[in-house]
Amino acid sequence: MIAHAETTPPARHPLVSFILRWVLTTNHKEIGTLYLCLSFTLFLIAGAMAMIFRAELAQPGLQFITADFYNQMLTLHGLIMVFGAVMPAFVGLANWMIPMMIGAPDMALPRLNNFSFWILPFAFFLLLSSLFMEGGAPNFGWTLYAPLSTTYGPPSTDFLIFGIHLMGISSILGAINIIVTIFNLRAPGMTLMKMPLFVWTWLVTAFLLIMAMPVLAGVVTMMLTDRHFGTSFFEASGGGDPLIFQHVFWFFGHPEVYIMILPGFGIASQIIPTFARKPLFGYASMVYATVAIAGLSFVVWGHHMFATGMPLAAELFFMYATMLIAVPTGVKVFNWVATMWRGSMTFETPMLFAIGFVVMFTIGGFSGLMLAITPADFQYHDTFFVVAHLHYVLYPGAIFATMGAVYYWLPKWTGNMYDERLGKIHFWSAVIGLNLTFFPMHFVGLAGMPRRIVDYALPYAGLNLFTTLGAWMLGLTQLLFLYIVIKTIRGGEKATDQVWESAEGLEWTVPSPAPHHTFDTPPRVE
Amino acid sequence: MDAEQTEWDREKVQAAVCSDAGLMTSQIVILKTLVARGMSSLAGNRRKGWLIAPVWWIFPNGASAQGWDMRAGVTEMSQQVQMLHHVSLWICTGVGIVVFGAMFYTIFAHRRSKHPEPATFHENTKIEVLWTLIPTLILVGMAVPATLTLRDIEDNSDADLTVLITGSQWKWHYQYTEADIGFYSNMTTPLEQINNIEPKGENYLMEVDNPLVIPTNLKVRFLMSSDDVIHSWWVPDFAVKQDAIPGFINEAWTRVDVPGIYRGQCTELCGMNHAFMPIVVEVLPEDEFLAWIEDQRIANELAGDAAVAARSREWTMAELMPMGEDVFLTHCATCHQPDGAGQGIKYPALAAALDPARVISTGPIEAHLDRVMNGLSETEMQAWAPQLSDVELAAVITYERNAWGNNTGDIVQPLTVYEAR
Ligand SMILES: [Cu+2]
Ligand SMILES: [Cu+2]
C-alpha cells in the first residue's frame, strides 16, 4: 500500500502541473526562457510608456497627460527598461547559452537560479503597483535624485525602494551563479582563454554586478532611512549632503552602463565571425579590452556630475578617465571590422543586427566622447543630447544585441528556422525607427532643449514631431518580433544541428532543438 | 531702452548668433527665402521640388539651421566651448568616416557573392598596437584645449558683481548682494497657452515677469543655491550651467560682451513644473545697468511708502477679491488649481466643500495667515511672506476665504498681515 502511494503522484489538473512545472523548474533552458519572456513583456510595457510620453511631446502645449503623470512615465520607463528589460534579457541568454557554450550540464546552482528568477516578477509587481497608488508612481526620474525622491517623493517611493532591493538580490544571486558555473563547470580542455567571448563578457559583467548592485541597494536603503527613520544622509539641514546620493548612485550607475553593454559586445563577437566565415580578429585583445573597460567603469562616475560644482581637479580626473575608455572601446570596434575584412559575408538577420549594433553603438560612443569633454558637457548636460547619446548606446548595445542573439540561437532553441524575410523587415524597420527617434534628439539638445520637460518652446517643435513618429514606429515594430518568435516556436523549416554554415562552438554540436539536458558527459575541447 | 529695442539692436550686430527664439524665427525667414530661391532655380526641373518641400515640414515653427548646432553664445567662454564642441565633433566625424568607410567597403567587397573564399588571419600585433596608440594620441590632443578652457571656466576670482540665485519650486530668486536688491522671477506664459486654448506667443515658456539684469563687460559671479530640491541654472548663450543645491552654494561666472536678452531654462528635474521654470537675462550696457539699479532702489522705497499707506486704511472686500484672484492665479493655481480643487493627495483642495478634512481656509485666520506666509517645511507649500507684499497676501487670503463657496465673509487687512510678519 505504502509503496503504491509513493509511486503514483496525485492526479493534478493540467493547468496546475503546467504552472508548477515552470515555477519549480531548475533547468537552465527553462529558466532562460522564463527570463526572456519576462524581459520581453516588461520591454513592451516600458516601451508603451515611452510611446505615451512621446505622444505628449509631439506638439508644444499639454495635450494628453498631466505634467506629473509625464514624470511618472519617464521614471518607470527608465527603471523598467534598465532593470526589467535589459538585465533579465542578458541573464536569460546567459542561462540558455553559457552551459551549452562551456559544455556544462546545467548552471552550477540550479535552485538558486530558480529563486533568482522568481524574485523578479514580485519586484516588478511592486514597482508597477505604484501606478495605482494614491499620489501616483515615483516621479523623480530613474536616477532617483534626493531630495526630490526623499523629502518630496510620493508615498509609493517605498515600493520602488523595496522593488529595487528585490531586483538587486536577484541580480547578485544570478551573477554568483554565473561566476561559479564558469569557474567550475567548463568542459575539460576549455581553458579560460578558449572560452567564447559571450562567456567572457558575461564573466566580467557578473563581477561588475556583484560590485555595483550592493552599492545601489545601499543608496536606496539610505533613501528609505532618510524618508522614515530620521536620518539625514541627503538632507543639508541635518548635516547631510544631497550630492552624496549622486556620488553613490553613479558609483553604481556607470558600471551599470557596462553591465548593460558588455554581454552585447560578447554577442556581436559570436555573430560576426559566423557570418563573415572567418575567426574573430584579436580574441585576446577583445578579452583584455573587456576587462579594461570594466576596470575603468569604476573610476568615471563623476562625468555624470560635472554641473554639480566639483572642484577643478576632480573634473579633470573624471574627464581624462572617461576619455580613456574610448581606447579599449575603439579596439573592440576595430576588431569587429577587421573580423569582417576579407571574409566571405552573408547578411542573415542576426548579422544585420550585429552590424547595426556596431554602427549605431559607435555613434553613441562618439557622442559619449564629446560628453566627456567637461567644458562642453556644461552645454550638453541634462539636454536631449544626453538622451540621444544614451539611447544610441543602449538601444543598439542592449536591445539590438539581444534581438540579434535571439535570431542567432532561436533555431537551436526551437529546432525551427525563423522566417528570414520577416526578420529582415523587422531589422530594417527597427533601424529606421531608431534613427528617426534618436537622431533628431542630438539637434534639439544642442539647440537647447532640456531633457525631462513635459512641454517645450516653439523652436523645438518640428524635430520633436519626428522623434515621436519614430518612437511609435520603433515601438510597434517590436510586435512583429513577437510574431516572428511565436511563429518560429510553432513550426517552420527544420534547423540542422549546425544551423549556421560556419558557426563554431559547443552549442552547435548538440541537436536542434537542444534536448532538455545537454552534456551529461562533458565534451572534450581540443 | 526697452526690451524690443535691445533685441533689434542685437539682431543688427549679431545676425549670425542665434540666441533666442525671437532670433530663430527671423532666421527661419531667411532660411525659407533661401530655400525658396533654390526652389525657383529648380523650376526648370519641377519634379525635384519635392526634395525641398520637407523643409517646411521639419521646421513648421521656425528652428533655423543655426539652431541645429550648439550656439556660439555671447561670451568668450561660450565661444571656446563651441570650438571644443566643433573640434570633437569633427574628430569623431573623421574617425567615423574611416571606420564606417572600411566597414561599408568590406560589406560591399567581401560579401560571399564577390569574395567566396574567406581569408583566415585573426591577429596582427603591429596593427593592434597602432590602433591603440593613435586614438590615445588623438585623445591627448583633445584633452589639452579642454583642460585650458576648463581652468578658465572654474576661475571664479575677481568678480565685479555678485548675484545670488536661489531656485525654488518653480521660480528663481535673484539677489544682488552688493546692492541690497532682490526679486523673484516667475514664468509669465498663461495657462491658456499651455492648454492650447490661446495661440502660443513667440517666447512661449521662455518669458518671465522679472528678468535678471546684468551689465556688459563686467565679470558677474553667480552663487547658486536652492530652497527645496535641486535645480540647475542654465543660459546656453553664456555656457553657464550650474546646479542649485539646497543647503550648499555653487559658483559660476560670466562676462557678456553683447547687450541683449538671453533665455534659458532649469535643467534638473525638480518636480511637476520643471518645464515651467525659465530663465531670462537682460544684459544692459554698464551705464544703463547702473541706472536700472538706481530705479530699483527708488522702486523699493516707493513700495515701502505704499505699504505704509496701505496698512493705514481699511480695505473692502470689493477691492481685495479681484486682486486676490489675480495673485492666486499667478502664484497658487499651478498647485491648488484655479478652482481651488487641488490635485491628487499632494496638493490639497482649498475649497472647503471639496476637502472637509482640511479646514485652514475656513478655520481661524491666524492659522491661515501662518500657513500662507510661512509655508510648511518639507512640503511644496513654500513661505510666501518674502515673495508677496502685505496687500497681495491680504488679498489672496481674503480671496481663499471667500471664493469657491468658502464664504466666510472674513476680510483680512494688510495691517493684520504686517503685524503677522
Ligand atoms: Cu557614466
Ligand atoms: Cu527644474
Side-chain angles (χ1 to χ4, degrees), chain A residues 452-453, chain B residues 170 172 229-232 265-271 273-277:
Chain A
R452 293 172 166 174
I453 55 176
Chain B
W170 291 279
W172 296 100
V229 300
I230 302 179
H231 305 269
S232 190
Q265 274 174 284
C266 173
T267 47
E268 184 65 67
L269 180 60
C270 55
N273 288 348
H274 166 53
F276 308 125
M277 212 175 144

Side-chain angles (χ1 to χ4, degrees), chain A residues 116-183:
Chain A
S116 48
F117 171 77
W118 279 108
I119 294 177
L120 281 184
F122 295 95
F124 288 97
F125 177 77
L126 278 187
L127 185 57
L128 283 170
S129 66
S130 65
L131 269 175
F132 304 98
M133 291 177 192
E134 255 198 310
N139 53 6
F140 31 71
W142 84 277
T143 45
L144 321 176
Y145 278 10
L148 190 61
S149 62
T150 50
T151 316
Y152 296 82
S156 60
T157 307
D158 303 329
F159 286 75
L160 165 118
I161 291 173
F162 287 125
I164 288 184
H165 279 143
L166 291 181
M167 293 165 208
I169 294 172
S170 161
S171 300
I172 293 169
L173 296 183
I176 291 175
N177 205 349
I178 287 170
I179 294 175
V180 175
T181 306
I182 294 176
F183 279 148

Side-chain angles (χ1 to χ4, degrees), chain A residues 62 134 152 282 285 307-309 315 320 323 335 342-345 378-382 447 455 459 461-462 501, chain B residues 58 61 63 67 71 85 110 112 115 119 122 128 139 147 154 194 196 204 228 234 236 241 243 250 267-268 345:
Chain A
L62 296 186
E134 255 198 310
Y152 296 82
S285 67
T308 57
E315 283 177 337
Y320 300 150
M323 292 173 83
N335 282 348
R342 296 194 30 231
S344 178
M345 275 181 278
F378 289 127
Q379 294 285 53
Y380 306 132
H381 177 68
D382 262 335
D455 195 7
E501 189 184 293
Chain B
I58 301 178
N61 290 299
R71 60 195 78 186
H85 159 70
H110 304 143
R112 183 153 64 171
H115 195 252
H122 57 87
E128 287 177 64
L139 290 176
T147 305
E154 292 295 332
I194 294 172
N196 310 306
Y204 177 68
D228 37 45
W234 181 36
K241 181 184 284 151
D243 285 0
N250 270 336
T267 47
E268 184 65 67
I345 52 167

Side-chain angles (χ1 to χ4, degrees), chain A residues 65-348:
Chain A
I65 56 177
T66 63
D68 191 49
F69 191 68
Y70 173 86
N71 290 346
Q72 296 176 28
M73 289 289 101
L74 196 89
T75 306
L76 291 181
H77 166 76
L79 286 168
I80 296 178
M81 279 294 184
V82 169
F83 295 107
V86 174
M87 291 169 65
F90 281 154
V91 181
L93 291 173
N95 256 295
W96 255 104
M97 300 317 302
I98 287 180
M100 285 211 271
M101 291 173 115
I102 61 173
D106 202 309
M107 298 294 282
L109 310 164
R111 293 194 191 162
L112 192 75
N113 203 11
N114 170 292
F115 182 57
S116 48
F117 171 77
W118 279 108
I119 294 177
L120 281 184
F122 295 95
F124 288 97
F125 177 77
L126 278 187
L127 185 57
L128 283 170
S129 66
S130 65
L131 269 175
F132 304 98
M133 291 177 192
E134 255 198 310
N139 53 6
F140 31 71
W142 84 277
T143 45
L144 321 176
Y145 278 10
L148 190 61
S149 62
T150 50
T151 316
Y152 296 82
S156 60
T157 307
D158 303 329
F159 286 75
L160 165 118
I161 291 173
F162 287 125
I164 288 184
H165 279 143
L166 291 181
M167 293 165 208
I169 294 172
S170 161
S171 300
I172 293 169
L173 296 183
I176 291 175
N177 205 349
I178 287 170
I179 294 175
V180 175
T181 306
I182 294 176
F183 279 148
N184 293 294
L185 295 190
R186 274 171 293 135
M190 168 87 62
T191 58
L192 283 177
M193 286 311 269
K194 275 192 193 154
M195 291 195 311
L197 257 168
F198 178 69
V199 181
W200 251 117
T201 51
W202 238 117
L203 180 63
V204 177
T205 305
F207 275 105
L208 286 183
L209 278 170
I210 287 187
M211 288 187 268
M213 292 308 284
V215 179
L216 176 67
V219 80
V220 295
T221 308
M222 288 155 90
M223 272 173 68
L224 188 75
T225 60
D226 263 15
R227 284 169 61 83
H228 297 294
F229 304 112
T231 58
S232 300
F233 291 114
F234 313 132
E235 182 60 52
S237 59
D241 182 347
L243 282 188
I244 292 179
F245 179 88
Q246 297 187 23
H247 280 293
V248 183
F249 180 86
W250 286 115
F251 186 82
F252 144 81
H254 197 87
E256 171 68 16
V257 171
Y258 286 99
I259 288 167
M260 294 191 282
I261 282 172
L262 292 184
F265 286 172
I267 291 164
S269 307
Q270 300 301 134
I271 294 177
I272 293 178
T274 299
F275 296 95
R277 295 173 178 72
K278 201 168 142 270
L280 183 69
F281 186 88
Y283 173 89
S285 67
M286 283 296 211
V287 172
Y288 301 142
T290 309
V291 176
I293 292 175
L296 283 173
S297 77
F298 279 103
V299 294
V300 297
W301 78 90
H303 64 210
H304 299 270
M305 299 171 56
F306 285 142
T308 57
M310 276 195 275
L312 178 63
E315 283 177 337
L316 289 175
F317 171 78
F318 286 120
M319 172 166 79
Y320 300 150
T322 306
M323 292 173 83
L324 210 53
I325 291 197
V327 176
T329 314
V331 165
K332 288 200 163 266
V333 173
F334 300 143
N335 282 348
W336 287 318
V337 177
T339 306
M340 293 159 71
W341 194 259
R342 296 194 30 231
S344 178
M345 275 181 278
T346 51
F347 301 95
E348 286 85 346

Side-chain angles (χ1 to χ4, degrees), chain B residues 43 112 140 146 186 188 248 255 263 342 367 399 409:
Chain B
R112 183 153 64 171
V140 172
N186 292 284
T188 49
F248 292 82
R255 179 184 278 126
R263 295 172 203 274
Y399 178 72

Side-chain angles (χ1 to χ4, degrees), chain A residues 319 372-380, chain B residues 81 84 145-147 149-150 153 239:
Chain A
M319 172 166 79
I373 311 285
T374 313
D377 182 73
F378 289 127
Q379 294 285 53
Y380 306 132
Chain B
V81 166
L84 287 175
T147 305
T149 303
L150 191 59
I153 289 182

